[in-house]
Amino acid sequence: MNIAVVGGGKRCLELIELIDRHKFQEIRPRILAVAEENHDEVGRMRAEQMGLFVTNDYNDFFKREDIDLIIELKDSMDIYNDILGKKAKTVRAISSRTAQLFREIGRLSDLHRQTSEKLQKLESMSSLIFNKLIHEEVLVIAKDYSIVDANDTLLNRVGMKSGEIIGRYCYEITHHRDIPCDGTDHPCPLAETLSTGKPSQSTHIHFGNGNNLLYYSISCYPIFEKGEVVGVVEMSRDITRDINYQKNMMHQEKMISIGRLSAGVAHEINNPLTTILTTSMLAQEELEKSHPLYEELDTIAKETIRCRKIVTSLLDFARQNTPEKKENDLNAVVSESLLLTKKQAAFNDVTVSQNLSEDLPPVFLDKGQIQQALINLLINALEATSSGGQVDVSTRYEDRGNSVEIEISDTGTGMTEEIRGRIFDPFFTTKDTGTGLGLAITHGIIIQHGGTIDVQSNPGFGTKFTIRLPINQGDEK
Ligand SMILES: Nc1ncnc2c1ncn2[C@@H]1O[C@H](COP(=O)(O)OP(=O)(O)O)[C@@H](O)[C@H]1O
Ligand SMILES: [Mg+2]
């Protein structure tokens, strides 16, 4: 549709720009000509720039045959009527009033387009954040605990589709419960946010597949509608790794300071102990066996030797040298450790069985240190197991994790949870003659090798220690 405009002012310019912006698919309007006497008017100047037909007198329009529509923008009914009288029948005319109406519609549609584009952008952005960028599990929950929406992270973990989960209660899905969560292990931050209208946070402890503890940090944010809380956004994050890392760091720091202290003390005590031992032995040599002090000196020597043993393990613990790793056959290291504890096993009347994997790759490790760690575990297992019991040792190749596993399990006394939480602490022992250093040393050795050591235990049913060691040099890579 070809348009001619009478009046080359601001409104003419706006019209030119409006038509330029909107392509108006069907009618394809195109301004061909502008009539304006004043050469300084903005619309006329733009028309000239664009190379349109520009004239001082609109009567020139009637000489052309390519015009379909004349728009009068001078706000003059006289001009409009004049046009109506002179135009050909096939040409249509619009007064400036009608043109004003179109302008409004144009403005509105502009506004609409901009906001809907913005909304669309916002919507796709929030969906991106909700489903892809947030690694936390997110639930939108209504006041009655029913789920309104869930993000992909949560759906993936629970293995459900959003259609299966929306409308069900949050505690059904995330905690497999029939009633809302409560108590100290599962305080419900949702209930708190609903009643206070403020964000809240709590930590939930769950059991993982291998009976290991998983920690979840759960935060709730209120959703308001007309000043009232109508629901919450609940975000939960698995913080097990952070917590374990923190625990490990604390443990390591403790070990380092205790290590320093022990090294100092052990060093100071070693010399006087040697003096006591040699002096008592020399004194004994001076005496007849029948002398009443002879046996007393014997006791002094024996007890001093025991003290020296404790000091030696203290030094072992304190030293905790960086391992000198070489390629080793782990099965051979395990077999040798078993051989070294054979006597004690026979003495305790405990059967020891080994189940060593044949496809173990060579492992980078410090043979002496790993042997010491294994012997500590084996001796503990034997000490905890009464006559007729069983100790099993096995090795396994963990292809996926690029690591090997050693398992030492016994049918002994087992441990309560309280004891289990303290066994790696130096000097923690439940034995009359124990030093409490065996597991502290073992732990240090495994960590230095870049590995992990885990324990599972049930009072009355026995204990299982699992060591995982990386095959490669780990930290040296
Ligand atoms: N296999 C096991 N079965 C039961 N309890 C164990 C076992 N291994 C270790 N423990 C517990 O851990 C404690 C610490 O062990 P350890 O560090 O080797 O010191 P110690 O053997 O000198 O007591 C032991 O006193 C015992 O209570
Ligand atoms: Mg021990």
Side-chain angles (χ1 to χ4, degrees):
M1 172 185 286
N2 295 334
I3 303 170
V5 181
V6 181
K10 214 170 128 217
R11 286 166 61 191
C12 168
L13 179 65
E14 280 173 8
L15 185 68
I16 294 174
E17 286 174 346
L18 175 72
I19 289 178
D20 208 35
R21 273 200 308 279
H22 295 266
K23 295 299 175 220
F24 296 105
Q25 295 297 328
E26 275 128 69
I27 46 174
R28 288 176 204 282
R30 196 157 62 97
I31 296 183
L32 282 190
V34 173
E36 172 61 57
E37 296 150 23
N38 184 348
H39 289 221
D40 298 332
E41 288 282 10
V42 282
R44 179 185 161 120
M45 293 202 300
R46 167 62 68 86
E48 273 176 342
Q49 274 169 13
M50 291 167 70
L52 306 186
F53 173 75
V54 178
T55 170
N56 292 340
D57 182 1
Y58 65 83
N59 283 300
D60 288 342
F61 292 164
F62 309 124
K63 297 175 197 153
R64 295 178 65 122
E65 289 189 347
D66 53 354
I67 289 172
D68 304 307
L69 172 71
I70 298 172
I71 299 179
E72 187 276 308
L73 290 180
K74 282 244 175 226
D75 243 349
S76 155
M77 274 323 270
D78 289 345
I79 295 178
Y80 181 57
N81 286 332
D82 189 40
I83 292 169
L84 287 182
K86 290 177 180 164
K87 70 172 182 65
K89 263 196 185 148
T90 50
V91 176
R92 276 166 288 166
I94 291 178
S95 73
S96 58
R97 279 226 190 126
T98 319
Q100 172 76 13
L101 191 69
F102 282 114
R103 213 168 66 126
E104 284 300 315
I105 293 172
R107 234 167 40 88
L108 277 178
S109 89
D110 263 0
L111 205 69
H112 174 72
R113 185 170 50 84
Q114 281 166 11
T115 38
S116 71
E117 264 171 22
K118 261 191 207 153
L119 275 178
Q120 241 171 28
K121 261 192 211 151
L122 260 176
E123 214 170 277
S124 57
M125 193 143 81
S126 61
S127 150
L128 182 76
I129 294 172
F130 192 60
N131 284 318
K132 300 283 181 291
L133 294 183
I134 296 189
H135 298 298
E136 277 94 346
E137 298 174 2
V138 185
L139 278 174
V140 182
I141 304 169
K143 230 172 147 174
D144 65 348
Y145 295 85
S146 62
I147 296 173
V148 179
D149 205 352
N151 74 342
D152 288 354
T153 314
L154 184 121
L155 293 174
N156 287 343
R157 183 181 61 89
V158 298
M160 291 170 101
K161 298 210 174 68
S162 72
E164 298 171 295
I165 186 172
I166 289 170
R168 302 209 15 215
Y169 295 118
C170 57
Y171 47 83
E172 271 184 280
I173 303 295
T174 56
H175 288 83
H176 306 288
R177 289 168 68 114
D178 304 328
I179 48 166
C181 305
D182 58 7
T184 47
D185 267 0
H186 294 98
C188 177
L190 183 92
E192 196 185 320
T193 296
L194 285 175
S195 73
T196 62
K198 294 203 174 107
S200 63
Q201 195 275 334
S202 76
T203 305
H204 280 195
I205 303 170
H206 297 165
F207 284 102
N209 292 339
N211 242 8
N212 49 326
L213 294 181
L214 297 176
Y215 299 85
Y216 277 91
S217 164
I218 302 180
S219 313
C220 279
Y221 304 90
I223 305 171
F224 289 99
E225 214 175 274
K226 293 185 190 131
E228 223 183 279
V229 186
V230 289
V232 303
V233 177
E234 184 187 274
M235 296 175 77
S236 51
R237 194 161 65 93
D238 185 347
I239 51 166
T240 314
R241 275 178 64 172
D242 302 350
I243 296 242
N244 285 343
Y245 179 75
Q246 252 176 22
K247 276 191 185 167
N248 255 334
M249 287 300 285
M250 273 162 59
H251 185 80
Q252 258 166 326
E253 269 172 30
K254 199 163 75 180
M255 296 295 251
I256 288 169
S257 50
I258 294 178
R260 280 207 194 104
L261 183 74
S262 312
V265 172
H267 191 73
E268 290 300 317
I269 288 179
N270 228 357
N271 290 341
L273 280 182
T274 313
T275 316
I276 294 171
L277 188 63
T278 41
T279 317
S280 65
M281 281 159 100
L282 285 175
Q284 213 180 18
E285 273 174 25
E286 304 284 314
L287 299 175
E288 295 294 322
K289 273 197 174 172
S290 54
H291 195 282
L293 283 182
Y294 190 92
E295 263 191 24
E296 312 272 4
L297 285 170
D298 219 28
T299 312
I300 291 178
K302 261 196 212 141
E303 290 297 293
T304 313
I305 289 171
R306 199 161 84 86
C307 283
R308 281 217 332 198
K309 265 192 193 154
I310 296 173
V311 171
T312 309
S313 46
L314 250 178
L315 277 173
D316 278 345
F317 164 68
R319 233 181 271 131
Q320 295 207 355
N321 292 328
T322 334
E324 284 178 24
K325 296 184 206 166
K326 291 200 182 79
E327 254 192 8
N328 266 289
D329 174 1
L330 182 69
N331 282 344
V333 180
V334 172
S335 297
E336 273 180 50
S337 313
L338 282 169
L339 211 64
L340 290 168
T341 49
K342 211 171 134 190
K343 246 189 179 168
Q344 171 134 16
F347 183 74
N348 289 21
D349 187 24
V350 172
T351 318
V352 179
S353 74
Q354 52 178 7
N355 183 5
L356 307 181
S357 159
E358 277 167 17
D359 62 358
L360 281 195
V363 184
F364 268 91
L365 49 81
D366 183 320
K367 186 179 165 190
Q369 286 194 1
I370 294 296
Q371 211 159 50
Q372 187 186 2
L374 295 177
I375 290 172
N376 288 346
L377 292 176
L378 286 167
I379 297 211
N380 279 348
L382 293 169
E383 282 174 350
T385 312
S386 47
S387 159
Q390 171 97 20
V391 171
D392 292 313
V393 183
S394 63
T395 56
R396 192 177 325 125
Y397 179 33
E398 260 271 334
D399 199 2
R400 219 159 27 107
N402 222 6
S403 59
V404 287
E405 255 181 38
I406 313 159
E407 232 174 61
I408 297 180
S409 61
D410 63 61
T411 57
T413 54
M415 297 173 245
T416 61
E417 211 174 305
E418 202 210 325
I419 290 183
R420 206 178 56 204
R422 302 182 57 192
I423 54 172
F424 294 116
D425 287 350
F427 309 112
F428 173 78
T429 180
T430 55
K431 299 168 194 168
D432 292 338
T433 55
T435 60
L437 285 171
L439 288 182
I441 293 171
T442 302
H443 185 268
I445 291 173
I446 302 303
I447 299 298
Q448 292 257 35
H449 274 77
T452 57
I453 177 163
D454 291 310
V455 58
Q456 276 173 274
S457 188
N458 264 324
F461 291 98
T463 302
K464 180 165 83 182
F465 280 90
T466 309
I467 294 176
R468 258 176 229 105
L469 290 174
I471 291 165
N472 296 319
Q473 290 177 319
D475 43 7
E476 284 159 35
K477 247 199 317 191

